[in-house]
Amino acid sequence: MSRLKIEKCAACHSDNVMPVMQIKDHSISGELFTISECKSCGFRFTQDPPSEDDCGVYYQSDDYISHSDTSKGLVFMLYHKVRSIMLGRKAKLLNQLSAAKTLLDIGSGTGYFLDHMSNEGYSVTGVEVDEKARAYSMDRFGVNVITPKELLQGTLKQTFGYITFWHVLEHLYNPDNYIKICHDLLDENGFLIIALPNHNSRDAAFYKTFWAAYDVPRHLWHFNPETLSLFAVRNGFEVAIKKDMPFDPFYNSMLSEKYKTGASSLVKGAFRGLIAFISGRMNIQNASSVIYILKKSLPKNT
């Protein structure tokens, strides 16, 4: 299996990077991966991850929630319940903003968000790398979903009022390319919405190497509010609004508790999640996950 040696920070492009910790892939392989940090801006990334061609084996599990439609087990049942609630919250967020009701969802998975927004009156298009998830969303919901290759090759000719990455950017091997494409495809008054884990969160500080949202090696990039802003500005965007994701501290804490102790603990996980939730509500810089709402600021980089 080939590995990628990452030599420059994806946020500020500094080459002043050093390893800071090792994280175990708790969910699938059990392998150890190194987290490196940019000493110029604090951005973190997974060093020596599998190449894009070889990463598929790290997603091939019914226990990998974002590609699974199963409801077995407590964590999965909670995930699907929360997903239903969050669909409504995401729709409310978009409806509160003022842009054309055209949506491009990158990393659209099994299509539930696309379907929900279609029912809200939006014209929707998805981008999904997983063939089974792509087929599922098209067959079940009748939505248009293309491959990342088609997106990057310029297949789409229209522009969009909203482009969304719901916990997707951290998985992408060429994030700059995607953001540059988004700059082209986004209306001048449109919104780019990116949801990401925050490694500066209260729950990350408590669970350290057991923090579930490191999710190596599937998560390549580990942002915080400062480094996401640097990344955005470098690509012609500015962060207009930041919001927390209220369920993420509970989910991350319950799963982290399992990784740390070897057994699920709803009470301990919920307690730690509550502390993290309150901390994130008091200061968005400490939120477990952050929704960044971006607007165009400058011409895209060439």
Side-chain angles (χ1 to χ4, degrees):
M1 177 179 291
S2 58
R3 302 279 180 177
L4 295 180
K5 181 68 175 178
I6 301 171
E7 297 180 347
K8 286 190 175 182
C9 169
C12 73
H13 275 189
S14 169
D15 59 4
N16 184 18
V17 297
M18 295 183 63
V20 291
M21 65 176 72
Q22 282 197 314
I23 306 286
K24 182 180 179 180
D25 174 11
H26 295 278
S27 64
I28 294 179
S29 72
E31 297 175 40
L32 286 174
F33 291 88
T34 298
I35 300 291
S36 290
E37 183 175 272
C38 174
K39 295 306 177 182
S40 297
C41 72
F43 178 75
R44 290 183 176 183
F45 59 91
T46 303
Q47 185 58 275
D48 299 322
S51 68
E52 188 169 10
D53 289 338
D54 292 331
C55 72
V57 296
Y58 293 95
Y59 289 87
Q60 292 174 3
S61 171
D62 288 339
D63 292 334
Y64 189 62
I65 288 180
S66 71
H67 284 99
S68 173
D69 209 44
T70 182
S71 295
K72 66 179 181 180
L74 178 60
V75 171
F76 289 88
M77 291 174 62
L78 289 172
Y79 171 82
H80 289 289
K81 179 64 174 177
V82 167
R83 180 179 66 184
S84 178
I85 297 172
M86 283 303 298
L87 288 174
R89 293 181 66 93
K90 291 174 182 178
K92 182 178 180 181
L93 173 62
L94 268 64
N95 288 334
Q96 288 175 339
L97 301 171
S98 179
K101 298 184 76 170
T102 49
L103 166 68
L104 177 65
D105 183 33
I106 299 178
S108 54
T110 47
Y112 284 87
F113 178 59
L114 291 175
D115 178 62
H116 191 89
M117 296 311 297
S118 178
N119 292 332
E120 291 275 330
Y122 286 70
S123 174
V124 301
T125 302
V127 179
E128 175 55 45
V129 66
D130 185 84
E131 183 178 354
K132 290 182 179 179
R134 195 166 61 248
Y136 180 93
S137 57
M138 290 189 290
D139 292 344
R140 175 162 181 172
F141 301 120
V143 292
N144 178 38
V145 184
I146 65 173
T147 66
K149 183 177 180 179
E150 290 174 304
L151 173 71
L152 296 174
Q153 287 177 339
T155 299
L156 297 176
K157 302 303 180 183
Q158 70 178 102
T159 58
F160 297 86
Y162 302 90
I163 301 177
T164 55
F165 293 78
W166 298 110
H167 283 299
V168 170
L169 187 68
E170 62 268 40
H171 294 264
L172 300 179
Y173 278 78
N174 46 359
D176 277 350
N177 288 353
Y178 279 88
I179 298 303
K180 289 172 184 177
I181 288 287
C182 288
H183 203 283
D184 284 341
L185 294 177
L186 191 68
D187 290 345
E188 288 305 310
N189 65 340
F191 296 92
L192 175 62
I193 300 174
I194 303 174
L196 291 163
N198 172 22
H199 72 79
N200 279 358
S201 64
R202 182 66 176 266
D203 46 313
F206 178 79
Y207 285 107
K208 298 181 172 61
T209 61
F210 296 101
W211 188 50
Y214 276 122
D215 198 22
V216 294
R218 291 158 294 278
H219 288 188
L220 302 170
W221 320 112
H222 310 286
F223 288 93
N224 62 33
E226 289 79 13
T227 56
L228 188 280
S229 181
L230 285 173
F231 174 79
V233 168
R234 191 170 55 75
N235 285 288
F237 289 94
E238 61 182 0
V239 178
I241 304 170
K242 295 191 288 284
K243 293 181 174 290
D244 70 320
M245 300 190 78
F247 293 105
D248 281 29
F250 297 96
Y251 171 73
N252 286 335
S253 294
M254 286 190 290
L255 196 53
S256 300
E257 193 67 36
K258 180 180 179 181
Y259 292 163
K260 184 176 182 179
T261 66
S264 296
S265 176
L266 181 61
V267 175
K268 286 184 179 179
F271 175 71
R272 289 294 172 187
L274 179 61
I275 293 174
F277 169 79
I278 294 171
S279 180
R281 278 295 164 100
M282 293 177 64
N283 185 348
I284 192 67
Q285 303 294 111
N286 299 328
S288 186
S289 292
V290 180
I291 300 172
Y292 303 91
I293 302 173
L294 280 61
K295 296 279 290 181
K296 286 185 179 182
S297 57
L298 298 169
K300 67 170 185 171
N301 288 349
T302 57

